């Protein structure tokens, strides 16, 4: 079949991209030499590139396209809203119908007691809001020194200077003066990589108790909040052991420390409930939302805030906000997206169809000689690659080399799996069917086989000592 394209030849697009476009989290010079893959359209769970390849997107973009690509209802919601009211702000005693409806709908869907929404344009912005909000809350309650926030190593909360500081990515902290003062990081509950000979339950408890030790070190009167993803995403899909969250909840309750659950990935069905907090049994005071809120069709984020904090913040002028807080087009699309998630029973589809099929496919891949285990919760998963399954060994070569090779082999086989270090990450659109998961499985296995062969031929299967 001849492909008729409505764009420049791929090489020309790549050259223009290399000349003028600075990509996020990328060594742009290296990418410029290789040439970026140009995505031109998408439908369902498939992307199409400028060469006409159909690529199964097992990452839902960046963990966000929960409803899949090409949903006309979302296009129509944006079109209608753009025609009616493309923009107005919510700063100066004004509001508009999409933002009213969306805030009310989120209050309905959120766990009990979380009834107020502060909107932002992204997850990063929302976490910046959260940092200022919890500090303002305690200051207004006469405890301005209760301002420190505890987070976790390898957490991802965004890339602005506030949210990047809340995050625990050392390679991000190495650039640009992060973390800002008053933010502290404890260990993550990553049993696979760090649990040694402990059982997952022992390890989960020990990692949670690092929070108590840090609160006591700083003084409970100085600690405003603990922030965490219910299931760590960009850190490598780290599903905490069952003992972890109950102990964290106990500690936060005991010392009067607020819980900010970063639901940017876990929210809107990804873990089999509306929110990861429900799946993991957490009672948060604030939930960060973004990504799946609009299925990524338009940029929107926010903070869903509990009654107690809202009561204090609403009594003063909170000197904070964004031009696009509650943008009418984004709000209208998000609202339509929430309608689709509900009308099409997507959470039931996740629990009864998609997640069981994904789990089966991953269990089959567990037997692969390169795969060291399966981390999975609902529709988010990771496969750690290892040169030695029994000991969960890391590679002797630089971390991320095997993962990078595997990601390239995925691309070559028309599959998007991302790598975080040497873990392969899976987070497909929630609407994925069992047939499509079958295709994911075939392509993933092929990519793993090819990676294994490359590593074996290159004598790269040595474990770190
Ligand atoms: N929090 C979490 C848990 C995330 O995964 C992300 C994005 N990957 C963010 C916050 C930041 O969101 P954004 O990129 O929309 O700023």
């Amino acid at each position: 079949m001849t492909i008729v394209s409505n764009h420049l030849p791929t090489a020309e697009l790549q050259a223009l991209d290399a000349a003028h476009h600075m990509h996020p989290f990328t060594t742009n010079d290296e990418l410029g030499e290789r040439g970026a893959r140009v995505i031109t359209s998408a439908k369902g769970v498939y992307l199409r590139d400028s060469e006409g390849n159909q690529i199964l997107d097992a990452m839902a973009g960046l963990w966000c396209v929960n409803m899949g690509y090409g949903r006309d209802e979302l296009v129509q919601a944006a079109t209608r809203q753009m025609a009616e009211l493309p923009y107005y702000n919510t700063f100066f005693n004004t509001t508009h119908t999409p933002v009213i409806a969306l805030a009310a709908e989120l209050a309905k869907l959120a766990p009990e007691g979380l009834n107020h929404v502060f909107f932002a344009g992204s997850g990063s912005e929302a976490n910046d809001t959260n940092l200022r909000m919890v500090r303002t809350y305690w200051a207004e309650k006469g405890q301005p020194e209760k301002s420190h926030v505890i987070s976790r190593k390898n957490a991802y909360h965004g890339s602005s200077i506030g949210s990047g500081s809340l995050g625990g990515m050392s390679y991000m902290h190495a650039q640009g003066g992060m973390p800002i003062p008053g933010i502290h990081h404890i260990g993550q509950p990553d049993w696979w990589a760090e649990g040694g000979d402990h059982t997952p339950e022992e390890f989960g408890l020990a990692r949670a108790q690092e929070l108590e030790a840090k609160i006591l070190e700083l003084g409970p009167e100085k600690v405003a909040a603990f922030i965490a993803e219910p299931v760590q995403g960009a850190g490598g899909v780290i599903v905490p052991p069952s003992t972890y969250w109950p102990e964290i909840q106990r500690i936060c309750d005991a010392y009067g420390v607020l819980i900010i659950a970063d639901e940017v990935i876990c929210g809107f069905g990804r873990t089999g409930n509306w929110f990861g907090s429900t799946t993991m049994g957490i009672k948060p005071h604030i939930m960060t939302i973004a990504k799946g809120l609009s299925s990524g069709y338009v940029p929107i984020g926010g903070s869903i805030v509990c009654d107690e904090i809202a009561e204090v913040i609403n009594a003063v002028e909170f000197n904070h906000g964004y031009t696009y807080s509650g943008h009418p087009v984004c709000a209208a699309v998000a609202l339509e997206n929430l309608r689709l998630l509900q009308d099409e029973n997507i959470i039931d589809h996740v629990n009864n169809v998609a997640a069981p099929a994904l789990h089966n496919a991953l269990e089959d891949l567990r037997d692969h000689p390169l795969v060291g285990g399966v981390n999975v919760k609902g529709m988010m998963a990771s496969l750690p690659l290892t040169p030695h399954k029994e000991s969960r060994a890391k590679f002797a070569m630089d971390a991320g080399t095997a993962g990078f090779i595997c990601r390239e082999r995925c691309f070559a086989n028309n599959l998007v799996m991302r790598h975080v270090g040497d873990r392969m990450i899976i987070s497909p659109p929630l609407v994925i069917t069992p047939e499509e998961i079958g295709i994911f499985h075939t392509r993933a296995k092929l990519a793993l086989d090819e990676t294994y062969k490359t590593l074996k031929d290159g004598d790269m299967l040595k474990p770190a000592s």
Side-chain angles (χ1 to χ4, degrees):
M1 188 180 83
T2 319
I3 292 161
V4 181
S5 64
N6 64 353
H7 53 70
L8 293 169
T10 302
E12 279 183 52
L13 290 168
Q14 288 171 329
L16 280 172
D17 189 70
H20 304 293
H21 177 199
M22 299 170 81
H23 292 249
F25 288 98
T26 298
T27 307
N28 279 280
D29 284 349
E30 272 175 28
L31 177 65
E33 273 167 34
R34 277 201 311 276
R37 188 177 269 238
V38 182
I39 305 300
T40 50
S41 63
K43 183 85 191 158
V45 300
Y46 289 101
L47 306 166
R48 192 182 182 90
D49 72 10
S50 54
E51 298 293 284
N53 294 305
Q54 288 255 350
I55 309 154
L56 195 155
D57 183 8
M59 273 305 297
L62 269 179
W63 330 73
C64 54
V65 189
N66 289 9
M67 282 304 304
Y69 297 95
R71 290 302 303 247
D72 194 49
E73 298 88 337
L74 301 179
V75 179
Q76 294 309 323
T79 309
R80 276 196 306 274
Q81 189 56 46
M82 279 206 184
E84 201 167 295
L85 178 70
Y87 178 74
Y88 200 70
N89 69 73
T90 52
F91 280 35
F92 310 117
N93 304 322
T94 57
T95 190
H96 48 68
T97 49
V99 82
I100 297 168
L102 180 60
E105 186 65 13
L106 286 168
K108 202 178 89 193
L109 296 172
E112 208 189 320
L114 292 158
N115 289 308
H116 311 267
V117 190
F118 194 106
F119 286 103
S122 66
S124 300
E125 287 180 3
N127 278 325
D128 278 12
T129 300
N130 295 339
L131 182 56
R132 295 195 59 203
M133 192 181 285
V134 295
R135 287 178 168 173
T136 307
Y137 168 77
W138 288 115
E140 288 301 323
K141 283 182 69 98
Q143 292 177 262
E145 74 290 353
K146 203 166 161 65
S147 63
H148 290 251
V149 176
I150 301 173
S151 176
R152 306 184 295 182
K153 292 179 186 145
N154 221 19
Y156 192 86
H157 297 300
S159 189
S160 61
I161 202 149
S163 63
S165 296
L166 289 171
M169 298 294 184
S170 51
Y171 60 93
M172 291 174 70
H173 291 174
Q175 296 171 328
M178 295 195 285
I180 55 173
I183 296 173
H184 311 266
H185 299 88
I186 58 171
Q188 56 184 348
D190 184 359
W191 176 81
W192 193 88
E194 299 173 7
D197 294 332
H198 295 283
T199 63
E201 291 72 26
E202 285 165 358
F203 181 73
L205 212 52
R207 279 291 151 98
Q209 285 162 358
E210 284 187 25
L211 176 62
E212 188 160 33
K214 182 57 81 179
I215 293 172
L216 292 173
E217 178 195 320
L218 295 166
E221 72 289 354
K222 298 237 171 74
V223 181
F226 173 65
I227 182 169
E229 303 149 80
V231 177
Q232 258 170 286
V237 183
I238 295 159
V239 183
S242 60
T243 46
Y244 181 76
W245 272 113
E247 184 67 357
I248 291 280
Q249 184 75 51
R250 179 194 69 75
I251 294 166
C252 290
D253 291 349
Y255 296 102
V257 169
L258 302 171
I259 298 181
I260 305 169
D262 187 333
E263 296 273 0
V264 168
I265 288 176
C266 293
F268 306 104
R270 173 84 32 215
T271 68
N273 284 292
W274 277 101
F275 296 98
S277 292
T278 308
T279 305
M280 305 310 286
I282 310 163
K283 288 197 164 51
H285 297 86
I286 299 180
M287 297 195 305
T288 321
I289 53 171
K291 293 192 192 281
L293 169 58
S294 66
S295 284
Y297 280 54
V298 287
I300 182 167
S303 310
I304 312 187
V305 180
C306 71
D307 298 337
E308 189 188 333
I309 295 179
E311 197 180 314
V312 172
I313 296 295
N314 286 345
V316 296
E317 179 168 349
F318 184 38
N319 298 311
H320 175 70
Y322 307 105
T323 300
Y324 300 132
S325 287
H327 190 289
V329 177
C330 303
V333 172
L335 196 59
E336 182 65 359
N337 180 59
L338 296 180
R339 185 188 72 73
L340 290 176
L341 281 164
Q342 293 176 86
D343 286 4
E344 298 183 10
N345 299 313
I346 300 302
I347 293 179
D348 287 348
H349 170 76
V350 164
N351 289 321
N352 301 329
V353 181
L358 180 64
H359 296 196
N360 280 342
L362 296 173
E363 279 308 317
D364 186 68
L365 296 175
R366 189 196 283 274
D367 294 336
H368 193 278
L370 255 193
V371 172
V374 175
N375 302 305
V376 63
K377 192 52 101 181
M379 296 298 284
M380 61 194 289
S382 67
L383 301 173
L385 306 182
T386 177
H388 189 252
K389 287 168 93 85
E390 289 68 33
S391 61
R392 312 197 304 276
K394 301 189 177 66
F395 290 91
M397 61 188 172
D398 285 349
T401 312
F404 180 80
I405 293 171
C406 188
R407 189 192 69 176
E408 294 304 297
R409 295 327 303 157
C410 288
F411 252 137
N413 287 293
N414 287 331
L415 173 67
V416 178
M417 268 205 282
R418 171 180 171 187
H419 78 111
V420 170
D422 290 317
R423 285 178 195 220
M424 303 314 296
I425 307 292
I426 299 118
S427 167
L430 304 185
V431 295
I432 194 167
T433 64
E435 294 69 37
E436 290 161 341
I437 288 171
I439 295 168
F440 156 78
H441 174 262
T442 306
R443 293 182 186 179
K445 182 153 185 325
L446 206 57
L448 285 165
D449 287 346
E450 291 175 7
T451 307
Y452 187 68
K453 184 170 184 325
T454 305
L455 297 183
K456 201 159 181 228
D457 292 351
D459 201 17
M460 294 153 96
L461 280 171
K462 294 197 192 84
S465 50

